[in-house]
Amino acid sequence: MRAGIIGGGMIARVHAHAVRASGHEVLAAASRDRASGQRAGQETGAKEVHSTSLELIQNPCVEVVHICSPNDTHPDLVRAALEAGKHVICEKPLATDRADAQAMVDHWRSTDLVATVPFGYRFYSSVRELRARLSTGEDTPHLVRGTYLQDWLSRPTDTNWRVDSAQGGQSRAFADIGVHWCDLLEFVTGQRITSLIADLSTVYDTRGTSSEPVRTEDAAMLVFRLDSGTLGSVAISQAAPGHKNDLRIAVDTPVHSYEFHQEEPNTLWIGGREQTRIWNRADEDASLLSTAYDQSPGGHPQGWRDAFTSFVADTYRAARGAEVDGLPTFDDGLRAAVLTDAVLSSAASGRWVHIG
């Protein structure tokens, strides 16, 4: 299949690599204007460069549109791509507010197209193993906890377009990385967050050379309940020095405790009263759900780009009509918007928010 990638930078390069590694073609690139489109073309190695994003979308040879541009551009680009009959992979968040995200999902549901959101952590073999073990009914969670910590905005000189609420949305740390953690939690447990109380903090009043006040959060703390009544908590921060991409999730059950650490993705810590072990990807007791995402033999580490490639490969398989388990669609992107809205509401009111 032939892909068109809108936007540049690191994540566009990751998308381009994943398309090729999945056996498909990066045909076209575009960005906000011709000059930035040329840069996007160089970064992605696309065969063609379009002057505008809409020109790329209208290219009859492009079958899948990858939207890697700033958050506020997503609704219009998604709408145009769906109306042009293209399958879509859109970076999260889908939109800067819940209403726009809902409208995008409604539009998608009126088509027979595939539309996905890169919740790529679902595609680690160890995550699939954790999901398989929690799905048996023998290990029922009674406590979940975790963190997602980064340090790329830990200095007052650090800034990015995501800091601007007009481009990135009212929430930054939670909408950018907190939703990844929540998606992973709901994916492995098969349960939904039904209520939460949250608080937000901003470390620096201004950033970079701008005198404009920062209106988006650097950190978030959540306490929540799952639909089973299970209690949980998570700390989110983009200003935690030394933590590059430190996502951790722990699930306690009456029989075992499980811990997954994203920076050590080939292992799963399994605790028990009689025995505690480190499960390694491709161990003999690995489930079929896990081994389906092994791209290399045991002992050969797989990482984030491998998981992202599996996500893109599954999206393209679905676009060709295959049934794919655990594919994060626009429904999951809307779920992230619902949770973000609940976090902002709770932080503003200081009260628990129930999520329908």
Side-chain angles (χ1 to χ4, degrees):
M1 297 185 75
R2 295 178 294 266
I5 299 179
I6 297 174
M10 180 274 290
I11 200 62
R13 293 195 298 272
V14 171
H15 279 251
H17 169 83
V19 170
R20 294 190 180 96
S22 301
H24 303 282
E25 178 185 356
V26 180
L27 176 66
S31 191
R32 62 183 176 275
D33 53 37
R34 183 72 182 179
S36 58
Q38 290 287 353
R39 290 192 294 271
Q42 292 171 358
E43 290 171 340
T44 60
K47 292 183 178 180
E48 303 174 5
V49 174
H50 289 280
S51 297
T52 67
S53 300
L54 291 179
E55 183 181 289
L56 179 149
I57 289 170
Q58 295 301 324
N59 183 336
C61 294
V62 170
E63 298 167 89
V64 186
V65 176
H66 294 241
I67 298 173
C68 306
S69 49
N71 304 343
D72 62 324
T73 68
H74 294 176
D76 288 343
L77 293 175
V78 165
R79 186 179 307 109
L82 294 175
E83 289 176 353
K86 315 293 185 177
H87 304 290
V88 178
I89 297 178
C90 181
E91 275 295 327
K92 49 85 205 147
L94 278 184
T96 57
D97 63 57
R98 179 176 174 175
D100 279 344
Q102 181 68 65
M104 294 161 74
V105 170
D106 291 343
H107 194 161
W108 163 60
R109 286 176 179 162
S110 70
T111 75
D112 59 357
L113 299 165
V114 172
T116 62
V117 180
F119 287 123
Y121 298 130
R122 293 184 179 198
F123 294 85
Y124 283 125
S125 298
S126 47
V127 165
R128 297 286 172 143
E129 182 68 22
L130 176 55
R131 187 184 192 215
R133 289 172 181 257
L134 293 176
S135 69
T136 64
E138 296 178 4
D139 282 324
T140 303
H142 61 70
L143 182 69
V144 294
R145 49 203 159 77
T147 57
Y148 196 166
L149 309 174
Q150 297 178 336
D151 72 353
W152 65 288
L153 289 171
S154 59
R155 297 171 178 164
T157 52
D158 295 327
T159 192
N160 181 270
W161 61 262
R162 291 175 176 83
V163 173
D164 178 7
S165 59
Q167 293 187 76
Q170 290 181 291
S171 170
R172 174 171 31 94
F174 183 81
D176 189 26
I177 62 175
V179 294
H180 269 297
W181 192 94
C182 292
D183 177 79
L184 194 59
L185 167 73
E186 295 188 340
F187 181 68
V188 298
T189 64
Q191 299 186 35
R192 290 291 188 107
I193 296 171
T194 56
S195 60
L196 61 82
I197 187 168
D199 205 357
L200 308 176
S201 69
T202 302
V203 178
Y204 303 111
D205 294 334
T206 60
R207 283 187 172 275
T209 58
S210 174
S211 60
E212 290 294 316
V214 174
R215 295 185 172 87
T216 53
E217 81 280 359
D218 292 308
M221 290 286 294
L222 280 69
V223 176
F224 54 84
R225 291 275 184 185
L226 301 180
D227 47 25
S228 64
T230 299
L231 183 66
S233 67
V234 63
I236 309 295
S237 177
Q238 292 179 319
H243 295 272
K244 300 305 178 186
N245 199 51
D246 189 1
L247 183 153
R248 300 171 187 255
I249 187 167
V251 181
D252 296 340
T253 80
V255 182
H256 297 104
S257 292
Y258 299 96
E259 293 189 13
F260 167 73
H261 181 197
Q262 194 281 145
E263 292 183 345
E264 298 175 0
N266 292 276
T267 62
L268 186 65
W269 185 91
I270 304 175
R273 286 286 293 270
E274 296 80 17
Q275 181 189 44
T276 295
R277 62 174 286 204
I278 302 296
W279 178 90
N280 291 279
R281 186 184 63 79
D283 275 358
E284 289 188 354
D285 62 344
S287 70
L288 293 177
L289 285 177
S290 170
T291 56
Y293 287 89
D294 286 347
Q295 297 186 22
S296 55
H300 297 75
Q302 293 180 186
W304 175 69
R305 279 175 57 151
D306 298 302
F308 199 96
T309 295
S310 291
F311 155 70
V312 169
D314 272 7
T315 297
Y316 280 58
R317 286 175 56 220
R320 284 180 159 175
E323 291 291 330
V324 178
D325 175 62
L327 188 65
T329 69
F330 270 23
D331 284 331
D332 300 293
L334 176 59
R335 175 66 178 169
V338 169
L339 290 173
T340 301
D341 189 58
V343 165
L344 290 170
S345 296
S346 176
S349 67
R351 296 178 179 178
W352 281 84
V353 171
H354 293 276
I355 304 166

